[in-house]
Amino acid sequence: MHGTHPTAPEADPKEAIDDGWVVAGRRFNSRLIVGTGKYRDLPQTAAAIEASGAEIVTVAVRRVNLSDRAAPMLQDYVDPARYTYLPNTAGCHTAQEAVRTLRLAREAGGWNLVKLEVLGPPPLLYPDMPATFEAAEALLRDGFEVMVYCADDPLAAQRLEAMGCVAIMPLGAPIGSGLGIQNPAMLSMMIAQAKVPLLVDAGVGTASDAAIAMELGCDAVLLNSAIAHAREPVLMARAMRAAVAAGRLAHLAGRMPRRMGADPSSPLTGLIR
Amino acid sequence: MAGWGCGPEPNFKLTHYLVGTEWGDHIRGMSDPLTLTLNGEARLLAAPITLAALLADLGLDTRKIAVERNEAIVPRSAYGAVWLAPGDALEIVHFIGGG
């Protein structure tokens, strides 16, 4: 872009600073939500979450192991007073199971903000949208604030939003696949229509995937395996933190147009002959 | 807490006061044991017992768990008022790592 000033004069300087995002009336600075599963142990979980800079962490609800009372608990390593716990319904394959799980989560944690996911069978674990609608309706009626994992289906997203879900969270690729953002065009269309935060949830494999999701205009990214299954999870957590921040800034900055062909970066005038 | 407790009244049950003593073991052996399902496994308990007492026996920090009894949530504030009954199915859950 030779011949123009490097900063756009009409740009609002405030827009260059990311002042965070709001979901269900709560403001968060970090646009990275991380899962707490699949780590080697709880100390590694704590270290990776710390390095990610995340303020919201997803957690699962499971039976207490009554045969090993001395087993360390997640809360001892990931302080619920410091991090917003977002209980999920992982492993739930019916609306009834999901609603039951989140009612228990609300009693255990004492808050209403939850992540709903109702999944179809392996190996895809693709969102079961009819069951998701059913569970979302029951949860919303029961006073929950529902962040909902869903298919990259604009009509489903609109319906969930109209029902009152507080965030729409389509997949970028199947859960745990690490395939990256396979559906940028569809996600862009969903972002354009969304009036509540839209997050990519599932599919991110490495830092560039997270950056791509943010460049598309997502409000935040939710991931777990990409950090937990990296060779060095804590290092990857730092990478994800940087990638999400970079992707957000790039989105705010507005990328240059693509063109088929070259455009010289140096002036063509004043060349020596 | 009417509606929660369907177990026997607590007062003056010898089994309650003599648990862990020779007398208690003897008397309990003659009374009906309380059998319930705890996280999917059958358990035999010395009756009468409240949910709060059971959780204390299990060594659980009630601030970190939630309890479902026969598929209905038991509010934490009601643990002391819930008398467990034969055939009860309890689910005791907590948060663990998850994506």
Side-chain angles (χ1 to χ4, degrees), chain A residues 35-37 58-64 66 69 73-76 85 88 100 103-105 107-109 117 224, chain B residues 38-40 43 57-58 60 63-68 71 73-76 91-99:
Chain A
T36 53
T58 61
V59 296
V61 179
R62 292 291 182 275
R63 283 173 168 169
V64 171
L66 297 170
R69 297 175 197 182
M73 290 174 105
L74 183 67
Q75 286 103 314
D76 300 329
Y85 270 30
N88 70 21
R100 197 176 159 196
R103 283 185 177 144
L104 279 165
E107 182 60 25
E117 57 182 301
N224 189 154
Chain B
L38 186 51
N39 282 359
R43 290 260 182 158
D57 284 353
L58 293 170
L60 295 173
R63 293 168 303 175
K64 294 176 179 170
I65 59 164
V67 181
E68 202 185 55
E71 300 199 16
I73 300 275
V74 183
R76 195 169 284 136
E91 292 285 347
I92 306 175
V93 303
H94 65 156
F95 292 124
I96 65 156

Side-chain angles (χ1 to χ4, degrees), chain A residues 225-245:
Chain A
S225 307
I227 294 178
H229 282 179
R231 196 176 61 243
E232 298 288 345
V234 177
L235 211 50
M236 186 57 87
R238 286 174 59 196
M240 288 300 179
R241 177 182 196 162
V244 166

Side-chain angles (χ1 to χ4, degrees), chain A residues 65-92:
Chain A
N65 181 355
L66 297 170
S67 58
D68 184 10
R69 297 175 197 182
M73 290 174 105
L74 183 67
Q75 286 103 314
D76 300 329
Y77 288 85
V78 181
D79 183 2
R82 175 175 172 195
Y83 298 98
T84 298
Y85 270 30
L86 185 65
N88 70 21
T89 57
C92 294

Side-chain angles (χ1 to χ4, degrees), chain A residues 131-218:
Chain A
T132 300
F133 291 135
E134 188 187 338
E137 196 178 340
L139 290 167
L140 291 162
R141 207 185 312 121
D142 201 7
F144 283 92
E145 292 174 307
V146 181
M147 300 174 72
V148 58
Y149 177 61
C150 60
D152 59 347
D153 172 344
L155 294 182
Q158 264 178 340
R159 182 168 161 191
L160 290 166
E161 196 177 308
M163 288 169 71
C165 291
V166 297
I168 306 297
M169 308 201 291
L171 77 177
I175 292 172
S177 68
L179 287 170
I181 308 302
Q182 295 293 310
N183 47 0
M186 196 56 73
L187 289 176
S188 295
M189 290 178 235
M190 293 174 72
I191 290 163
Q193 74 172 18
K195 292 181 182 62
V196 296
L198 190 135
L199 290 75
V200 162
D201 177 0
V204 168
T206 188
S208 53
D209 300 330
I212 286 168
M214 293 308 298
E215 286 173 7
L216 290 173
C218 289

